[in-house]
Amino acid sequence: MARFSVTEAATAGFGVIGRKPLAVVGWALALAVGMVIPAILTFLALGPQFQQFVQLAMTQKEGAPDPEVMRQMMQAQSGMTAANLLFWLWSTFVQAVFCAAVFRAVLTPAQSSWAYLRLGAREMWLTLLFLVEQVLLMIVGLVVAMVIGVLAAVAGFSGGENGMMAAVGTALGGAAIAVIVLVWLALRLSMAAPMTFVDNQFRLFESWSLTKGQGWRLLGMALLLIVFIIGVEILVTTVMLGTIFAAGGSIVALHGGGGFEAFMARPPLTILREVWPWLAVIGALATLFSAVVHTIFFAPWAAAHRALTSET
């Protein structure tokens, strides 16, 4: 049976960062173009709707909600629904492009032009795969939640005096079992992305046969990745908090005397003009952090796929 080294696969992302640091910087720049700029344009386009939503939320008093205020809030929120859908599709495509770049850096390191970034069939297949996986996850999550809810309700009604405890226990037990099963399914299908990239075709359930007998190794690799990413997050959060605290004067100015309400009442361009220096610094740190996390997360799956297929 083919095997792979858990530690070697889990640290593959750090290997890419060490060998190709300029590629990671290039990914951060591309991420800024691919995500930050569209986000700013969306903010400018939907600024009035967002401002209206925030202002209505702040004017809502405690107690029973005002029907007219709720109607206006729903109307403002509905104006952002289409933009949210488009942003979801676009962000999934950007994620697929970065995933393909990291896979290329691991599997075909000689193809280093343009920081391994491409726009081709592989990126489109990965986009489709990620969209299908997200939709399936939402459907499965909804079905599982409904089943657990029904079982908890049945346990509660049949539990008599201890009905509440029976319902809570059933819900917690069902949730724990569901998490274990979903994690196992995710690990069995975890080779879908590298298989889609290598084969240049849509692959999902084909991962099942390749990951047979590899569950514990894949779980160990996933747990190591969680530890690595949490460590990077702690480091980056510390740096970003320092940057935010450095903007203390700007933040303090928003407190008291309706400062925040007055700030949000300004036109979107005025708000953007006042906060853009801090947004630029935080955005630069965020994009570099995102590029590093993408590398740490995606590279191990490509490394594991290479090891599993090279011995078969």
Side-chain angles (χ1 to χ4, degrees):
M1 179 186 295
R3 298 189 178 190
F4 67 93
S5 171
V6 172
T7 54
E8 288 182 8
T11 56
F14 294 102
V16 172
I17 295 171
R19 292 191 306 270
K20 299 291 183 179
L22 292 181
V24 179
V25 175
W27 296 340
L29 293 175
L31 183 65
V33 174
M35 293 299 294
V36 176
I37 293 179
I40 293 175
L41 294 177
T42 302
F43 172 77
L44 293 177
L46 298 178
Q49 290 91 332
F50 179 75
Q51 284 182 294
Q52 181 185 6
F53 184 83
V54 173
Q55 291 170 1
L56 289 172
M58 290 188 301
T59 57
Q60 178 64 37
K61 305 298 183 180
E62 295 183 0
D66 187 340
E68 177 61 22
V69 172
M70 294 301 298
R71 186 192 66 79
Q72 295 180 16
M73 289 179 65
M74 293 298 296
Q75 183 178 2
Q77 188 177 20
S78 64
M80 298 184 287
T81 301
N84 290 335
L85 177 60
L86 291 175
F87 195 77
W88 171 59
L89 295 174
W90 175 254
S91 62
T92 303
F93 169 70
V94 172
Q95 183 185 29
V97 171
F98 279 93
C99 177
V102 176
F103 284 176
R104 202 169 280 114
V106 174
L107 301 174
T108 56
Q111 301 179 3
S112 59
S113 59
W114 295 98
Y116 299 100
L117 292 167
R118 306 286 190 277
L119 293 177
R122 285 183 167 83
E123 287 71 20
M124 299 309 297
W125 283 122
L126 282 172
T127 301
L128 177 61
L129 173 66
F130 291 159
L131 289 174
V132 170
E133 288 179 336
Q134 292 176 55
V135 171
L136 287 177
L137 180 60
M138 288 188 289
I139 294 174
V140 171
L142 179 61
V143 172
V144 169
M146 292 176 61
V147 171
I148 293 176
V150 170
L151 293 177
V154 172
F157 282 119
S158 62
E161 296 180 355
N162 299 321
M164 179 62 69
M165 295 183 59
V168 173
T170 301
L172 293 177
I177 294 173
V179 168
I180 293 173
V181 173
L182 290 176
V183 168
W184 176 71
L185 290 174
L187 292 174
R188 292 300 305 271
L189 299 176
S190 61
M191 290 296 105
M195 290 179 72
T196 297
F197 175 83
V198 171
D199 297 342
N200 198 16
Q201 293 183 14
F202 182 85
R203 296 285 186 261
L204 179 56
F205 298 108
E206 291 83 354
S207 170
W208 197 267
S209 59
L210 186 60
T211 57
K212 183 179 180 181
Q214 307 296 332
W216 289 111
R217 291 183 181 83
L218 290 169
L219 178 61
M221 184 181 74
L223 292 176
L224 281 178
L225 285 179
I226 292 173
V227 173
F228 294 155
I229 292 175
I230 290 176
V232 174
E233 286 181 345
I234 292 174
L235 176 62
V236 174
T237 300
T238 302
V239 175
M240 293 188 70
L241 284 177
T243 304
I244 293 174
F245 288 147
S250 301
I251 296 175
V252 170
L254 299 180
H255 289 282
F260 184 74
E261 291 81 353
F263 181 80
M264 289 303 301
R266 301 177 183 181
L269 280 176
T270 302
I271 297 176
L272 187 61
R273 191 180 302 115
E274 293 189 6
V275 302
W276 78 262
W278 301 110
L279 289 179
V281 174
I282 295 175
L285 292 174
T287 52
L288 183 59
F289 163 71
S290 182
V292 170
V293 170
H294 272 83
T295 307
I296 293 173
F297 179 77
F298 286 130
W301 309 104
H305 176 270
R306 179 180 57 193
L308 291 175
T309 56
S310 64
E311 300 179 20
T312 56

